[in-house]
């Protein structure tokens, strides 16, 4: 499907799959500042402005954004020309791991685009769709208030704006339980006398060394790195707790253009390995003809896009011979219980007949002496 979008001021013609999300399209086009978090519209890491409104790109189809104006973090400022919001986030220490930062900045940017003088309550409401596990929100709220003041042309010092205690804010209802301002300036640490020596960094607040990269959406995280020709993997997993694969047909998946490999147990060497931290039992295989739990691996696909890999997975046809499921440990020990590992090539299983993988005994100290010495 052909679409035209205006992304960060540039009109782009794109070819999208009907089920492709706007998040996937933007990251595919190189806008790696649009982060991939929950992909369920909950975390705000993928926030972009669509026609001036902050929207999570993961729950919008690319097709729905046809003809729209999209602003991503890359369109707000650059490392050479930071937007006042990006500058304030860096200066306030509002960027820690920075994964939430682009989404948070987009939410703040859309707020300031239509409200030049927001209250703290309005800032908190605007950031309420952005989950941040690191900052506790105090610094980001201060940073947005400071950037707003700077954009209004007010004199801004290095001191952060005074805000109410976060505990006084009742959350998504957007109301403050108390209007008593916090005493002092929130976020100011008690002053400590530090004798400055040859190292001027002691006693001085330092910005996150990656702050500019993180605030401008430059590739920083592993998922942002896209080597040339990279393929994407997807797994087909078992819907059954215990079954033997009677037949598996991968020809339709293999025939899809852009699919480079479809692997089943027939394609990989049958080498047993231990999945725990101990060397035995070696009772797992990369791909196996038996599935032993819901979610066990059945097939793997490598394709040029995540959507194509998923599409190929949906084309694989598997015929299972169902086996009785074991879901109770005591039932598994019964002499007549079905065997989870009936194959002969697994190694080091303590008692496969009784489904006992192994026994671990740990002795520490001397119990008799412990009792003798106790009062
Ligand atoms: S990735 Fe879109 S809201 Fe979490
Ligand atoms: S800075 Fe780490 S999640 Fe917000």
């Amino acid at each position: 499907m052909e679409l035209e979008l205006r992304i960060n001021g540039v009109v782009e013609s794109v070819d999208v799959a009907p089920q492709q999300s706007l998040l996937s399209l933007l990251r595919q086009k190189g806008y790696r500042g649009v982060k991939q978090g929950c992909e369920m519209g909950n975390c705000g890491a993928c926030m972009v402005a669509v026609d001036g409104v902050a929207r999570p790109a993961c729950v919008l189809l690319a097709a729905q954004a046809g003809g729209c104006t999209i602003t991503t973090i890359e369109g707000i400022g650059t490392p050479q020309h930071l937007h006042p919001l990006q500058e304030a986030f860096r200066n306030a220490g509002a960027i820690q791991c920075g994964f939430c930062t682009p989404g948070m900045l987009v939410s703040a940017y859309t707020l300031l685009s239509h409200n030049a003088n927001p209250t703290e309550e309005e800032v908190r409401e605007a950031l309420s769709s952005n989950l941040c596990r690191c900052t506790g929100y105090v610094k980001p709220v201060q940073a947005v208030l400071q950037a707003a003041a700077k954009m209004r042309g007010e004199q801004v010092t290095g001191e952060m704006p005074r805000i109410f205690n976060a505990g006084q804010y009742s959350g998504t209802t957007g109301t403050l339980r108390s209007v008593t301002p916090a005493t002092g300036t929130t976020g100011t640490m008690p002053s400590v006398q530090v004798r400055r020596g040859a190292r001027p960094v002691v006693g001085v607040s330092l910005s996150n060394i990656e702050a500019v990269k993180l605030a401008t959406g430059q590739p920083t995280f592993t998922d942002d790195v896209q080597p040339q020709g990279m393929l994407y993997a997807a797994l087909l997993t078992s819907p059954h707790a215990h079954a033997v694969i009677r037949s598996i047909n991968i020809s339709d998946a293999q025939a899809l253009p852009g699919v480079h490999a479809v692997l089943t147990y027939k394609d990989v060497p049958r080498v047993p390995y231990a999945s725990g931290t101990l060397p035995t039992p070696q009772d797992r295989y990369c791909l196996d003809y038996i599935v032993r739990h819901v979610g066990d691996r059945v097939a793997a696909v490598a394709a040029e896009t995540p959507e194509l890999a998923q599409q190929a997975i949906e084309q694989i046809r598997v015929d299972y011979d169902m086996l009785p499921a074991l879901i109770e440990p005591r039932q598994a020990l019964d002499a007549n219980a079905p065997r989870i590992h009936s194959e002969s090539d697994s190694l080091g299983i303590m008692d496969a007949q009784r489904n006992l993988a192994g026994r671990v005994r740990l002795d520490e100290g001397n119990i008799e002496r412990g009792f003798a010495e106790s009062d």
Side-chain angles (χ1 to χ4, degrees):
M1 177 185 310
E2 287 282 340
L3 291 182
E4 217 168 67
L5 306 169
R6 179 182 288 270
I7 307 174
N8 298 335
V10 178
V11 176
E12 300 213 27
S13 293
V14 288
D15 189 14
V16 302
Q19 76 279 22
Q20 185 170 15
S21 70
L22 180 60
L23 168 64
S24 153
L25 172 70
L26 290 170
R27 288 187 64 82
Q28 198 179 309
K29 298 287 294 173
Y31 299 97
R32 312 302 274 186
V34 188
K35 300 298 178 210
Q36 186 166 355
C38 64
E39 291 188 83
M40 295 171 71
N42 293 333
C43 72
C46 64
M47 203 66 85
V48 294
V50 180
D51 290 339
V53 179
R55 307 275 302 270
C58 64
V59 287
L60 265 183
L61 290 176
Q64 291 175 292
C68 294
T69 296
I70 313 289
T71 306
T72 71
I73 187 66
E74 290 90 345
I76 292 178
T78 64
Q80 294 72 32
H81 297 102
L82 292 178
H83 186 277
L85 273 167
Q86 292 165 319
E87 224 168 36
F89 265 61
R90 178 193 63 188
N91 297 344
I95 303 172
Q96 291 189 27
C97 83
F99 192 77
C100 70
T101 304
M104 217 183 250
L105 281 165
V106 169
S107 295
Y109 177 79
T110 55
L111 170 71
L112 299 191
S113 307
H114 61 261
N115 182 354
N117 193 6
T119 62
E120 177 195 337
E121 191 176 354
E122 287 166 333
V123 173
R124 286 187 180 278
E125 195 57 45
L127 301 186
S128 64
S129 301
N130 298 89
L131 295 185
C132 175
R133 64 179 186 174
C134 307
T135 63
Y137 298 93
V138 170
K139 299 291 184 187
V141 171
Q142 287 178 318
V144 177
L145 291 170
Q146 189 188 63
K150 186 170 181 186
M151 289 166 72
R152 292 192 301 270
E154 293 172 19
Q155 194 67 31
V156 169
T157 65
E159 198 171 82
M160 282 295 130
R162 175 183 296 189
I163 67 169
F164 296 103
N165 286 330
Q168 292 174 297
Y169 186 73
S170 66
T172 51
T173 56
T175 55
L176 290 168
R177 288 200 289 275
S178 158
V179 289
T180 312
T183 51
T185 302
T186 306
T188 303
M189 299 294 286
S191 65
V192 177
Q193 290 302 315
V194 177
R195 198 158 50 85
R196 300 254 167 93
R199 295 184 185 277
V201 290
V202 176
V204 175
S205 293
L206 295 176
S207 299
N208 181 335
I209 197 166
E210 300 269 39
V212 169
K213 265 174 100 177
L214 292 162
T216 52
Q218 306 299 301
T220 315
F221 299 94
T222 309
D223 193 33
D224 298 337
V225 180
Q226 202 174 18
Q228 282 266 313
M230 184 167 84
L231 298 178
Y232 295 83
L235 284 177
L236 176 66
T237 58
S238 167
H240 306 299
H242 196 194
V244 171
I245 297 172
R246 188 192 298 158
S247 67
I248 183 161
N249 185 337
I250 57 172
S251 50
D252 288 350
Q254 280 176 316
L256 286 173
V259 170
H260 288 247
V262 182
L263 303 176
T264 72
Y265 70 90
K266 297 175 189 170
D267 305 299
V268 293
R270 189 166 170 80
V271 179
Y273 68 92
S275 58
T277 52
L278 298 172
T280 58
Q282 293 174 0
D283 57 359
R284 297 282 292 155
Y285 301 84
C286 178
L287 293 166
D288 201 353
Y289 63 92
I290 303 175
V291 289
R292 298 181 179 84
H293 59 86
V294 172
D296 209 352
R297 299 179 295 255
V298 173
V301 164
E304 287 172 13
T305 67
E307 292 76 22
L308 188 54
Q310 199 49 47
Q311 198 185 335
I313 286 292
E314 285 159 20
Q315 300 294 320
I316 299 173
R317 301 282 164 254
V318 189
D319 196 7
Y320 295 96
D321 262 338
M322 303 297 289
L323 296 173
L326 277 177
I327 48 175
E328 289 288 341
R330 292 212 174 277
Q331 181 202 353
L333 291 173
D334 193 283
N336 298 318
R339 283 173 64 179
I340 295 297
H341 287 282
S342 54
E343 71 282 354
S344 58
D345 41 0
S346 287
L347 304 171
I349 299 178
M350 186 184 162
D351 185 351
Q353 185 64 46
R354 299 182 64 220
N355 295 309
L356 269 178
R359 176 175 289 142
V360 178
R361 179 179 167 148
L362 296 174
D363 292 319
E364 193 174 316
N366 181 327
I367 197 158
E368 278 78 30
R369 205 176 83 202
F371 275 121
E373 289 175 357
S374 59
D375 48 22

